């Protein structure tokens, strides 16, 4: 007579193997069905969605997939892209800063250095080779820069410290005006510095109405805008530095109204 324990054990093993096979078959059929359904969806969507035509001639105005940094650079190139306010050139992007460095320093123009985006990624971006059109745009910007040495830099999120009654000024205790400090628009070697900016770390004010506005704003942790007006003194090819002399600063509120206008003495 056969051992019933062994028979039961074999029967359980057979049932277990059969169950596993059925489960695998079910999973395989389910996966195939899901794959077929997933494949059908893009096809149906593609059939219902009209094809998008991309005009490469106006690529500088188009957010091209996969190359947002190149589009941003293209938008900053050319004299037409340079903004001016009240006779001052608005220095507001890395490409313009780089062309100013080349305009006021004796060095050959590195078009690749101007066009290649600078990121904080560990792996540096691939160098961008300039086209003939881009070289013409950069050259035109450099010629424009040489004829326009007066710059305006708009800065946001300015915090003021409490009023100093003994000196009758509002101190700016931050990194905005430090002699020798380099200021950047990206993490490239190109930067600008201020020549003797220390006097603008104290914003003089004796107007009672303005002081009330500023004191209330400071008490409520509100920040301000500032416009910095400067003149190009020159540039250093070794350090890729544009040297500026600050002539005037304007502290503004959220609506753009000038609260303090301080000029160099």
């Amino acid at each position: 007579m056969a051992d019933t324990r062994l028979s039961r054990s074999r029967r359980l093993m057979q049932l277990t193997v059969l169950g596993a096979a059925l489960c695998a078959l079910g999973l395989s059929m389910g996966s195939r069905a899901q794959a077929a359904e997933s494949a059908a969806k893009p096809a149906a969507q593609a059939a219902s969605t009209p094809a998008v035509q991309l005009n490469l001639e106006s690529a500088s105005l188009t957010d091209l997939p996969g190359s947002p940094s190149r589009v941003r650079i293209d938008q900053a190139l050319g004299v037409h892209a340079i903004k001016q306010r009240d006779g001052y050139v608005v220095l507001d992007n890395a490409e313009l800063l780089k062309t100013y460095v080349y305009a006021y320093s004796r060095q050959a123009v590195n078009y690749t250095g101007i066009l290649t985006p600078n990121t904080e990624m560990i792996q540096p971006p691939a160098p961008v080779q300039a086209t003939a059109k881009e070289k013409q745009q950069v050259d035109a910007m450099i010629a424009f820069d040489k004829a326009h040495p007066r710059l305006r830099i708009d800065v946001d999120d300015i915090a003021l410290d409490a009023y100093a009654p003994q000196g009758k000024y509002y101190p700016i205790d931050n990194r905005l005006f430090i002699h020798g400090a380099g200021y950047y628009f990206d993490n490239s070697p190109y930067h600008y510095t201020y020549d003797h900016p220390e006097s603008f770390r104290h914003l003089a004010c004796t107007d009672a109405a303005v002081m009330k506005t500023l004191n209330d704003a400071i008490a409520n942790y509100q920040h301000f805008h500032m416009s910095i007006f400067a003149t190009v003194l020159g540039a250093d090819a070794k350090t890729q530095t544009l040297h500026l002399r600050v002539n005037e600063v304007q502290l503004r509120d959220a609506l753009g109204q000038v609260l303090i206008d301080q000029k160099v003495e």
Side-chain angles (χ1 to χ4, degrees):
M1 184 173 179
D3 190 342
T4 56
R5 290 177 299 173
L6 182 58
S7 298
R8 291 175 181 172
S9 176
R10 289 177 178 175
R11 171 69 71 178
L12 289 173
M13 289 178 63
Q14 291 173 352
L15 291 174
T16 301
V17 171
L18 179 61
L22 290 174
C23 288
L25 180 60
L27 289 173
S28 177
M29 293 178 65
S31 299
R32 291 176 182 176
Q34 290 179 354
E37 182 180 359
S38 299
K41 285 182 178 179
Q45 292 174 353
S48 61
T49 303
V52 177
Q53 297 295 329
L54 195 60
N55 184 3
L56 295 179
E57 292 182 356
S58 62
S60 62
L61 303 178
T62 308
D63 189 7
L64 293 177
S67 60
S69 59
R70 183 57 182 264
V71 173
R72 178 186 58 78
I73 291 175
D74 288 344
Q75 290 175 336
L77 289 182
V79 175
H80 67 278
I82 299 176
K83 296 182 286 292
Q84 296 186 73
R85 295 180 185 173
D86 301 324
Y88 288 84
V89 173
V90 180
L91 183 61
D92 61 354
N93 63 80
E95 288 71 40
L96 183 57
L97 171 60
K98 293 174 184 179
T99 62
Y100 260 95
V101 170
Y102 286 106
Y104 289 89
S105 63
R106 295 183 178 180
Q107 59 177 317
V109 179
N110 180 2
Y111 297 98
T112 298
I114 293 175
L115 297 179
T116 301
N118 294 278
T119 68
E120 297 292 341
M121 304 300 291
I122 297 177
Q123 186 67 27
V128 175
Q129 301 302 323
T131 64
K133 179 180 179 181
E134 288 171 334
K135 288 183 178 180
Q136 291 177 354
Q137 291 174 320
V138 170
D139 291 342
M141 292 176 69
I142 292 175
F144 178 91
D145 298 345
K146 291 180 179 179
H148 295 81
R150 300 200 304 169
L151 300 180
R152 168 176 172 159
I153 303 169
D154 293 318
V155 186
D156 296 323
D157 203 27
I158 299 298
L160 291 184
D161 287 337
Y163 187 71
Q166 69 280 8
K168 298 181 180 180
Y169 59 77
Y170 288 94
I172 300 181
D173 190 15
N174 55 33
R175 198 175 176 274
L176 186 59
F177 294 115
I178 296 181
H179 182 71
Y183 301 92
Y184 304 76
F185 288 101
D186 56 16
N187 67 327
S188 73
Y190 302 86
H191 58 282
Y192 62 92
T193 62
Y194 297 131
D195 180 67
H196 302 298
E198 292 85 352
S199 60
F200 292 99
R201 292 182 62 82
H202 295 161
L203 298 182
C205 183
T206 56
D207 188 299
V210 173
M211 290 173 59
K212 184 181 186 310
T213 299
L214 292 175
N215 293 339
D216 292 344
I218 293 172
N220 288 286
Y221 304 100
Q222 296 178 9
H223 289 187
F224 305 91
H225 307 283
M226 178 175 286
S227 296
I228 303 170
F229 302 92
T231 303
V232 177
L233 297 177
D236 188 340
K238 291 183 179 180
T239 60
Q240 304 292 22
T241 305
L242 183 68
H243 298 293
L244 305 178
R245 169 162 292 172
V246 180
N247 304 316
E248 178 183 2
V249 299
Q250 292 179 347
L251 187 73
R252 303 171 182 270
D253 60 15
L255 299 178
Q257 179 181 357
V258 177
L259 300 172
I260 295 178
D261 187 349
Q262 183 162 312
K263 298 178 175 63
V264 67
E265 297 179 356

